[in-house]
Amino acid sequence: MAGGISAGIVGIPLALAFGAQSGLGPVAGFYGAIALSLFASVCGGTPTQISGPTGPMIVVAALVVSGAIEHAGSLELAYPTIIATFFFAGLMQALFGFLKFGKYIRYIPYPVVSGFMTGIGVIIILLQIFPLVGKESPKGIHNILRQLPEVFSDFNYEAAGLGLVTVAIIFLFPKITRTVPNILLALVAVSVLAVWTDFRVVNIGAIPSQLPEFKLSLLLSWENMDLKLIFYSGITLALLGSIDSLLTSVIADNVTKTKHDSNQELIGQGLGNMAAASIGGIPGAGTTMSTLVNTNSGARTRLSGVVHGLSLILVLVVAGPWVSRIPVPVLAGILVTVGIGIIDYKGLKHIKRLPREETLVMIAVLSMTIFADLIQAVALGMILSSILFMKKMGDLAETQTEVMSLGSYSNSQDSSPDETVCLTPELSEAVFIKRLRGPLFFGFAMTFQDIAKQFQGIHIVILKMKEVPFIDQTGLFAMEEVVLDLKSRGITVFICGLQDQPHDMLMKIDMIPSLIPENFLFPELADCVDYLSRRKTLKFSEDD
């Protein structure tokens, strides 16, 4: 229970700040935090995780709100599109969990995550520069960068002072004590300072003190909805929320020494986001900061998340009039520190020591995140990382692939004792071994075909495939072309050590037995050599 209350205290200023940033107002952040903390905690797969609005999710949510308003003409008319987008995102997230997609999130490479999170942090900071000094922020990152010089002309010194003091307290107060949450202290202290000094700053405005109403009836007004925005942004939020939540789940596992259920977590997060949309709240995910506060306070059960949600409801009902006096620059200062905290300094610190290819992936994802589109950035990073991985695996397979005569192989260090056989001069020179290591996939297919051209003036090739666990379709067809080419040159192909998956694949396209008869397959190299040594000739006919 103590963990839930502590996390609730930390979550109050963040919920307000993220709600204000979304364009729906601070109370939307509260509603989202309440729904997510209750539903995701009860239905999720990480017992100690605290969910609510997060930095990455708010960036997309704000784009949804601004895009819907641009399409509809006003916030009131845009509400059906906004609610439908957030609800659809939760629905897709729950579907990801039912379809067992959770296990695939772990395959996102670190350079992609690093570039993405750093890009999100930069976006959040840029979006708060103008509000920090009491000015209205331009729409879009490109416009913010273009108008950045205007920040230093005719700005509100009182607003800038409050914003900078907020940032200073958040960063410096933990050096004095960590007993009082620094973000909450900054929110309260600077807000009181603004009221006491009567500074000329804009406040966040009235906050409803009653529980939220259900908004799902707005979905019936589908005629004016922007369906393209709903679908594309909904998928974006679902993917982003899944990544964000499961990364936080891993952090919670490290602290509590437990193991979360990734698919159940996606279901819980999806239900939470659907519930948030139903009451006009913004979407969210697992929050790292609140989760760490929760776990470090000793929480180990789902009760802590429920207590977190109930504490937010209490604040909403009791403290609404006081919350309305919070200055906008204070929330901007809080979000600046959130953006700074999201940036992956570890990845940036080691950027010169990382392989050049991984650095390029991180920079590409970072640039795409800031200047283009979040999901396109992740997609680009995944594509580049996959291509680089395939190239590395292909290069590794190429270096480990050997072609040598049977005599040379028998005298090499690669030959094991059980493969030692008595060789005749004819067997030593007329039989070649092609030893394959690793998966035969599309990244290695072309190299495989090139190596096969080395066989000249021989009668038999033995493909030693004991170390090939997998063949994909491209590798399969490349192997078929190699065998056909060898047969056209009068070279007979034997295979030894064929594993189950490659054997099944060769059977499916009828390479076995049409091109390579079953009796040309041997479990070990020694069995194949023994078979050849008992033959009178090394030339084979169609009847063999």
Side-chain angles (χ1 to χ4, degrees):
M1 185 172 291
I5 295 175
S6 301
I9 292 173
V10 172
I12 291 170
L14 293 177
L16 292 170
F18 287 135
Q21 177 61 46
S22 71
L24 295 179
V27 73
F30 248 104
Y31 291 165
I34 290 169
L36 273 159
S37 60
L38 293 175
F39 281 83
S41 296
V42 174
C43 305
T46 314
T48 57
Q49 180 153 285
I50 301 295
S51 300
T54 65
M57 292 291 278
I58 202 60
V59 171
V60 181
L63 292 175
V64 170
V65 174
S66 61
I69 293 175
E70 183 178 352
H71 178 267
S74 69
L75 177 59
E76 183 179 358
L77 294 175
Y79 244 115
T81 296
I82 295 169
I83 298 300
T85 304
F86 295 165
F87 190 87
F88 177 67
L91 182 64
M92 291 304 300
Q93 204 169 5
L95 183 61
F96 291 164
F98 280 116
L99 296 177
K100 309 297 183 184
F101 284 178
K103 61 183 178 182
Y104 296 108
I105 302 295
R106 73 186 70 172
Y107 296 116
I108 299 178
Y110 185 82
V112 177
V113 176
S114 176
F116 179 76
M117 297 305 293
T118 299
I120 289 291
V122 172
I123 289 175
I124 292 175
I125 294 171
L126 290 175
L127 290 174
Q128 301 311 312
I129 290 178
F130 282 85
L132 192 68
V133 297
K135 290 188 172 185
E136 184 176 353
S137 181
K139 302 297 182 182
I141 297 299
H142 295 86
N143 291 328
I144 291 175
L145 293 174
R146 187 165 55 248
Q147 300 178 36
L148 205 54
E150 298 179 12
V151 170
F152 304 99
S153 63
D154 190 30
F155 65 83
N156 186 333
Y157 288 93
E158 294 175 347
L162 293 177
L164 293 176
V165 169
T166 301
V167 174
I169 291 176
I170 292 174
F171 281 124
L172 298 179
F173 194 75
K175 298 181 183 297
I176 301 173
T177 178
R178 293 184 179 272
T179 304
V180 180
N182 56 338
I183 295 179
L184 183 65
L185 174 68
L187 178 72
V188 174
V190 181
S191 298
V192 170
L193 175 65
V195 173
W196 179 62
T197 56
D198 198 25
F199 277 175
R200 297 176 294 105
V201 294
V202 178
N203 295 333
I204 64 177
I207 298 291
S209 297
Q210 70 274 8
L211 294 177
E213 300 177 355
F214 283 99
K215 306 287 187 180
L216 287 182
S217 59
L218 295 175
L219 299 182
L220 299 176
S221 307
W222 59 270
E223 296 88 352
N224 298 321
M225 289 185 184
D226 187 346
L227 298 181
K228 181 179 179 180
L229 177 66
I230 293 172
F231 179 78
Y232 184 76
S233 298
I235 294 294
T236 301
L237 284 168
L239 291 172
L240 184 56
S242 299
I243 296 170
D244 203 1
S245 296
L246 293 185
L247 288 176
T248 304
S249 295
V250 173
I251 294 173
D253 286 348
N254 291 335
V255 175
T256 60
K257 307 304 179 185
T258 56
K259 185 173 179 58
H260 70 277
D261 184 336
S262 57
N263 294 312
Q264 187 62 45
E265 183 61 37
L266 294 185
I267 293 173
Q269 292 292 332
L271 294 175
N273 280 320
M274 291 166 67
S278 301
I279 58 175
I282 58 177
T287 59
T288 302
M289 184 183 302
S290 296
T291 298
L292 287 176
V293 170
N294 188 40
T295 54
N296 291 335
S297 299
R300 291 297 182 269
T301 67
R302 301 178 188 276
L303 178 62
S304 58
V306 175
V307 171
H308 172 262
L310 295 177
S311 64
L312 292 177
I313 293 176
L314 180 63
V315 171
L316 177 68
V317 173
V318 175
W322 300 337
V323 171
S324 65
R325 304 291 298 274
I326 297 173
V328 170
V330 173
L331 296 184
I334 292 173
L335 286 175
V336 166
T337 63
V338 171
I340 293 173
I342 289 176
I343 293 174
D344 181 28
Y345 300 100
K346 180 180 179 181
L348 295 175
K349 179 181 178 181
H350 296 100
I351 195 169
K352 292 184 178 180
R353 303 177 185 176
L354 295 173
R356 183 182 302 175
E357 297 86 355
E358 295 186 10
T359 300
L360 290 175
V361 170
M362 185 180 75
I363 293 175
V365 174
L366 170 61
S367 302
M368 283 284 290
T369 300
I370 297 174
F371 298 108
D373 179 270
L374 277 70
I375 294 303
Q376 289 179 10
V378 174
L380 174 66
M382 292 298 292
I383 292 171
L384 292 176
S385 297
S386 298
I387 292 173
L388 292 173
F389 176 76
M390 294 302 131
K391 184 182 183 303
K392 289 178 182 178
M393 292 298 99
D395 292 344
L396 180 63
E398 181 178 354
T399 58
Q400 292 184 339
T401 298
E402 302 155 321
V403 179
M404 63 182 70
S405 67
L406 185 56
S408 298
Y409 178 81
S410 297
N411 295 324
S412 70
Q413 294 180 348
D414 292 330
S415 177
S416 58
D418 60 343
E419 293 176 338
T420 303
V421 291
C422 296
L423 299 178
T424 63
E426 185 179 13
L427 278 176
S428 297
E429 300 301 326
V431 177
F432 266 60
I433 291 180
K434 180 179 178 64
R435 183 179 184 183
L436 299 172
R437 294 176 177 173
L440 182 55
F441 65 110
F442 64 88
F444 178 55
M446 188 62 68
T447 302
F448 180 48
Q449 291 172 322
D450 290 339
I451 293 175
K453 297 176 182 178
Q454 301 176 21
F455 300 118
Q456 301 292 335
I458 59 176
H459 299 301
I460 292 173
V461 169
I462 301 175
L463 300 180
K464 194 171 185 292
M465 299 181 63
K466 193 171 185 178
E467 297 170 271
V468 179
F470 173 81
I471 298 181
D472 71 358
Q473 187 177 17
T474 308
L476 183 67
F477 291 155
M479 184 175 178
E480 183 182 38
E481 289 185 20
V482 167
V483 174
L484 285 171
D485 178 58
L486 293 175
K487 290 195 70 173
S488 68
R489 290 153 50 190
I491 301 174
T492 304
V493 177
F494 289 79
I495 299 178
C496 64
L498 191 62
Q499 296 193 36
D500 291 341
Q501 193 274 348
H503 182 275
D504 292 342
M505 293 292 285
L506 295 178
M507 291 283 290
K508 285 180 180 179
I509 66 167
D510 203 31
M511 276 188 66
I512 300 173
S514 293
L515 293 181
I516 304 176
E518 288 276 4
N519 61 318
F520 284 8
L521 305 179
F522 295 90
E524 300 291 343
L525 175 62
D527 300 320
C528 182
V529 175
D530 181 64
Y531 169 78
L532 294 174
S533 64
R534 288 187 278 105
R535 287 183 58 90
K536 296 180 179 180
T537 177
L538 295 181
K539 292 185 179 181
F540 290 80
S541 65
E542 294 292 333
D543 298 329
D544 286 309

